[in-house]
Amino acid sequence: MDFDYTPQQQDLRDAVAKLGKRYGHEYFVRKAKAGEHSDELWQEAARLGYLGVSVPEQYDGGGGGITELAIVCEELAAAGAPLLLLVVSPAIAATIVAKHGTEEQRRTLLPGFADGTLKVCFAITEPDAGSNFHKLTTVARPFEGGYTLTGRKVYISGVDECSKIMVVARLEDERTGKLKPALFVVPADAPGLTATKLDMEIVSPENQFQLYFDDVRVPSGALIGEDPEAGLPALFSGLNPERITVAAMACGTARYALERASTYTATRAVWGRPIGTHQGVAHPLAHAHIQVELARLMVAKAAALYDAGRDLEAGVAANMAKYAAAEAAALAVDTAIQSLGGNGMTTEYGVATLLGAVRAGRIAPVSREMILNFVSQHLMGQEKSY
């Protein structure tokens, strides 16, 4: 059992951390509050090859795995400047294309993922079904030369930044007549597609949208894979990297908050000595730090299992990593704010600005309750509760 990163992985971590610190949380907050995107950071990360670390080398990527992409996600978040679209575009969409796309799709799409010129958002969640793909009401119907999509999606990240949307719909099985998942790459400006921005109480440069598909027509080549049978395995191949990279980002956010808090408590002197000398301040920070380190171990395990092709085990570990990291991040940010007292609630000290994001992390992309359902049913032999 090896807990060490390879020299290449450590170099990647150090380099991304250095890049993140050059931008930092002030940049992130400034962009968010101005209604702008983190374009400069995205473009520089792309130029340095960090966005494409998990894209196969034959398509101009770094040839690494989700382990390397999780490192990028974590270190940018640890600098206070996370990129949510790293989860959406390289982790989900690019992985799905690389593993289940046609050769034509891989050849035309993956180089753009690798160099950052292509951003693809991911649309699965619906107002009524949530992310339960068995109950999705967005339907694809074949016509001569393509498909027509009809339905709604909600909480779709980054639509205003992406030129394409990977849509999870349900397509009729020609043999059984039943509807089953299928994935389509749809231009963001396709006729019949309407995007409405949602007002969110989260400080973030990325926006959330509701989408309406009113008989949106796409060519047959928009279907991911050679045939509709690719839909379900393609979907799962993208959801596990999503959970892993979200968890990595949460761990990075937690590290950032605890670093800000520990620096403050080590230097803020009241009654003649730093407040960090009091156990009532130091112990909660230490407890939060331990929870974060435990979550980081689970993230590393999940990423290693995924990269080794052990999909079933990776799915279990990815869910647990996401749960552990979301809980640890919420604890870390809350503890950091409490440690800073009134200063913790100001924009200047840069921790209260994380509250919305870490709270959302306990809900999305899969809620803590659904992960507990999964663990109790599949790992502990309990009867399904829903």
Side-chain angles (χ1 to χ4, degrees), residues 49-57 61-69 90-91 94-95 98 307:
Y50 302 151
L51 304 185
V53 289
S54 59
V55 173
E57 287 182 302
I66 295 303
T67 296
E68 284 74 20
L69 188 58
T95 299
D307 290 339

Side-chain angles (χ1 to χ4, degrees), residues 112-125:
F113 284 115
D115 66 16
T117 57
L118 175 64
K119 296 180 183 178
V120 178
C121 54
F122 184 70
I124 181 172
T125 307

Side-chain angles (χ1 to χ4, degrees), residues 194-263:
T194 304
T196 303
K197 182 182 173 185
L198 298 170
D199 290 329
M200 306 292 290
E201 296 299 324
I202 299 174
V203 178
S204 174
E206 292 90 8
N207 296 312
Q208 301 292 313
F209 290 84
Q210 183 158 249
L211 302 179
Y212 299 87
F213 296 85
D214 184 10
D215 291 333
V216 175
R217 290 196 162 203
V218 294
S220 56
L223 176 68
I224 292 292
E226 300 290 349
D227 59 61
E229 295 298 323
L232 193 57
L235 178 58
F236 281 111
S237 74
L239 293 183
N240 287 335
E242 175 190 43
R243 284 151 172 69
I244 293 167
T245 49
V246 163
M249 194 172 294
C251 288
T253 297
R255 286 172 50 205
Y256 167 82
L258 292 177
E259 190 276 330
R260 293 299 295 255
S262 60
T263 299

